[in-house]
Amino acid sequence: YLPHCLDDGTIGYTRWEYQERNWANIQSIWTIRPDGTGADALFKQHINDPWAIEDARSIPGTNNHKLAAVAAGHHTLAAGPVVVVTPSVGMNDTRGIRIVTPGVNPPEGGMSGTPVDEGGVVDHGGFYMHPWPLSEKYFLAAYTYGASQNPPKGYGLYLIDVYGTKELIYRDPDISCFTPIPLRARSKPPVLPDQTDRKQTQAVC
């Protein structure tokens, strides 16, 4: 679900994993090579809250060691607080979740992690979607201040940062706005070579 090319050339995505798990707390971050090999869990294999971490993107300048994402629910849109995930802290260590927007909760389930050291944007409800990290400190995102995840015209585009800034960039009076993408060029991820052998007719799993 919601795959994105990460800065190391792999594809990051959210996987629904029902094997030996209950029905709710199961959506974790996985990565895979573009040739379909090397699928592996990256973060939140056995963390109950949040129920899902979705829409993860590499934070520029961190050598792919930090991701910006949304903490969401199981049956919900990829909407909730914006978080920074550091998988190297530990795959199942909630200290790897830092909340950029405390005061916003996932629409379903609980929330682990702690606010960023600078305090972040302290909202009083609402939902964020589609965070695009500009750096470890600054992010573009869509935000609605209402109680609904999918208001027809509730989402606007914002610049937020860990210091508490929340600057409206654009809000349309007739329709919600999503998926802010900066026009500034970014470093191109490496193209990982295909490691598959097309002559093989079987595989070991």
Side-chain angles (χ1 to χ4, degrees):
Y1 182 50
L2 297 172
H4 298 299
C5 184
L6 302 181
D7 283 354
D8 63 356
T10 62
I11 298 169
Y13 61 101
T14 296
R15 174 181 166 89
W16 288 32
E17 177 57 81
Y18 285 106
Q19 179 67 24
E20 298 180 350
R21 287 163 175 77
N22 67 13
W23 62 271
N25 317 104
I26 57 176
Q27 296 183 43
S28 53
I29 301 176
W30 282 56
T31 59
I32 192 170
R33 294 173 61 89
D35 62 11
T37 63
D40 201 0
L42 182 67
F43 188 75
K44 203 195 97 68
Q45 273 293 79
H46 297 283
I47 295 174
N48 284 337
D49 295 316
W51 287 8
I53 297 181
E54 301 176 347
D55 221 1
R57 295 182 182 274
S58 297
I59 294 180
T62 67
N63 294 318
N64 211 49
H65 294 305
K66 293 187 178 184
L67 307 172
V70 164
H74 176 71
H75 299 103
T76 69
L77 298 176
V82 175
V83 296
V84 171
V85 174
T86 308
S88 61
V89 172
M91 181 184 292
N92 297 300
D93 193 331
T94 58
R95 292 176 297 177
I97 304 173
R98 304 303 303 273
I99 307 166
V100 179
T101 57
V104 172
N105 293 312
E108 186 179 52
M111 185 65 208
S112 297
T114 57
V116 292
D117 291 339
E118 298 84 356
V121 176
V122 182
D123 290 291
H124 301 283
F127 297 104
Y128 286 89
M129 293 184 73
H130 310 131
W132 190 295
L134 304 175
S135 70
E136 290 188 67
K137 308 294 186 183
Y138 297 91
F139 310 82
L140 298 174
Y143 174 76
T144 180
Y145 43 77
S148 172
Q149 301 170 59
N150 56 351
K153 47 189 175 182
Y155 282 91
L157 304 182
Y158 289 81
L159 173 70
I160 61 173
D161 64 31
V162 297
Y163 306 106
T165 304
K166 182 177 178 183
E167 188 73 26
L168 177 64
I169 297 174
Y170 180 75
R171 180 177 288 279
D172 192 288
D174 299 318
I175 191 170
S176 281
C177 300
F178 298 105
T179 319
I181 300 174
L183 294 177
R184 182 178 178 180
R186 66 187 180 103
S187 298
K188 185 177 180 179
V191 177
L192 302 182
D194 191 329
Q195 293 185 332
T196 60
D197 183 353
R198 305 292 173 160
K199 296 177 181 178
Q200 293 292 330
T201 59
Q202 61 185 13
V204 176
C205 297

